[in-house]
Amino acid sequence: MIQRRDFIAGLGSAAAWPLVARAQQPAVPVIGFLFSQSSAVDYKDFTVPFLQGLRETGYVEGQNVAFEYHWAENQYDRMPALAADLVRRRVAVILAASIPAALAAKAATTTIPIVFGIAGDPVALGLVASLNRPGANLTGSAGFVGELSLKRLQLLRELMPNAALFGVLADLASPTIQSQIAVMQAAAPMLGLQLVIVNARTDSDLETAFATFSQQHVGAVLVNPSNFYIRRMEQLAALAARHALPAISSLRSYALAGGLMSYGSSFAYVIRQLGIYTGRILKGEKPADLPVQQPTKVDFVINLKTAKALGLTIPETLLATADEVIQ
């Protein structure tokens, strides 16, 4: 027979079982986001496909994974401190959404896995040893922007064959801008063009830049990729319309916002792949074993409504190669 005190002691132990079980449950992994801009609103085009990719690997926010967001508010010098804070919080993975973010994360930790999404050469930047075998604790996706910048220049030239001057809107603080400009400047003479390059890093800079393009009578404008420009597509489209300037950007959101054309890597596809990589790392795979992805899907979008407003006829050759035509 069970002694009464043994039975009561047993009840006490049983009552503690749920507490023990809860204590033994594994902690939910936390993904640390390191962004250049200022809020989730700026990166909703990023977070939606990322969450989709993460779900494909079995991770759902609020169920079995959590997020910690750090925003640099377009102040790149804040990146090292923000990255160090994510390391102190012992996040499971760091998602670095720009070159400054990736470099800061790499400097902050050699053990926490880092998944980066950048426009640039990660080998030349010192992020990875090679594309196929990254080594260490980093991997991700890298778009080589020089080739895409050249293609955008060629598309504008096909649209405006008689123009002598093209404007280039550039954020000169962007880590890859000099290489992009060098590629375009080398190609411009062969296309019979001169380039007017204007730096813009603030909202007032954008106003001044388009006024400069208008005063110099450029035939068209190429908007170079920049983290600062990502959430200003509507403003950029409106400025181009106000000054009656045909313009092209790397982001599909520019054409959707009323810009004339966009040509660049499929942003949603690239970010979804980053979500998948992050999920695979959470499941135990090593960044060193995951090759750096290079975007192969490119979107070319033409806004015919904007072309009509500008009094332009889009050549059939361009329409035939467009992935999407907005009527």
Side-chain angles (χ1 to χ4, degrees):
M1 295 180 64
I2 299 176
Q3 297 292 326
R4 182 175 182 273
R5 64 181 178 184
D6 293 334
F7 178 72
I8 292 173
L11 284 177
S13 299
W17 291 346
L19 296 176
V20 173
R22 284 196 295 273
Q24 291 177 344
Q25 287 178 353
V28 171
V30 177
I31 300 170
F33 283 79
L34 194 54
F35 287 126
S36 298
Q37 291 293 338
S38 57
S39 73
V41 174
D42 299 339
Y43 277 93
K44 65 179 180 180
D45 290 339
F46 187 108
T47 53
V48 170
F50 181 84
L51 291 174
Q52 178 186 350
L54 205 56
R55 280 194 298 271
E56 291 178 29
T57 64
Y59 289 95
V60 179
E61 183 184 14
Q63 294 184 19
N64 57 355
V65 69
F67 297 151
E68 179 68 36
Y69 294 95
H70 279 18
W71 311 99
E73 298 180 342
N74 209 41
Q75 300 174 43
Y76 295 156
D77 58 351
R78 295 184 57 199
M79 286 293 187
L82 294 174
D85 186 65
L86 290 176
V87 173
R88 282 193 296 271
R89 292 172 184 268
R90 298 183 180 179
V91 297
V93 181
I94 295 176
L95 193 287
S98 67
I99 291 175
L103 291 172
K106 183 179 187 294
T109 179
T110 58
T111 55
I112 297 175
I114 300 166
V115 178
F116 57 76
I118 65 170
D121 183 348
V123 178
L125 290 165
L127 292 173
V128 296
S130 71
L131 298 179
N132 289 332
R133 298 191 65 81
N137 60 320
L138 292 90
T139 189
S141 176
F144 292 89
V145 292
E147 296 90 336
L148 293 177
S149 294
L150 176 58
K151 181 62 176 179
R152 284 189 285 272
L153 187 65
Q154 292 169 338
L155 291 171
L156 274 185
R157 175 39 114 196
E158 187 172 348
L159 175 67
M160 307 293 291
N162 299 319
L165 284 176
F166 275 5
V168 177
L169 185 71
D171 175 0
L172 296 183
S174 175
T176 61
I177 190 60
Q178 295 303 331
S179 62
Q180 295 177 59
I181 290 175
V183 168
M184 290 186 290
Q185 285 181 324
M190 293 182 285
L191 296 171
L193 286 168
Q194 289 185 326
L195 303 180
V196 177
I197 299 167
V198 179
N199 179 40
R201 294 211 71 236
T202 67
D203 291 323
S204 61
D205 285 347
L206 295 178
E207 297 276 350
T208 302
F210 274 86
T212 300
F213 293 144
S214 184
Q215 290 164 5
Q216 300 222 13
H217 303 290
V218 303
V221 173
L222 189 148
V223 179
N224 266 288
S226 164
N227 287 320
F228 175 68
Y229 301 154
I230 286 176
R231 65 187 180 105
R232 290 170 171 81
M233 291 295 110
E234 291 184 2
Q235 182 181 357
L236 290 168
L239 284 168
R242 185 195 309 167
H243 292 278
L245 287 170
I248 188 170
S249 167
S250 62
L251 295 178
R252 177 175 175 268
S253 56
Y254 176 71
L256 296 180
L260 179 62
M261 297 192 301
S262 67
Y263 182 90
S265 300
S266 176
F267 192 69
Y269 177 82
V270 170
I271 304 309
R272 177 172 153 266
Q273 296 305 309
L274 295 183
I276 292 173
Y277 258 21
T278 301
R280 289 173 63 178
I281 290 170
L282 289 176
K283 287 180 178 291
E285 294 190 58
K286 304 298 182 185
D289 300 327
L290 296 174
V292 175
Q293 299 185 359
Q294 295 178 261
T296 56
K297 180 173 170 44
V298 178
D299 289 336
F300 177 32
V301 184
I302 299 173
N303 191 318
L304 282 184
K305 183 178 178 181
T306 301
K308 183 178 179 180
L310 291 170
L312 295 174
T313 300
I314 304 295
E316 288 296 329
T317 51
L318 289 182
L319 290 173
T321 56
D323 297 285
E324 182 179 356
V325 176
I326 300 171
Q327 300 289 342

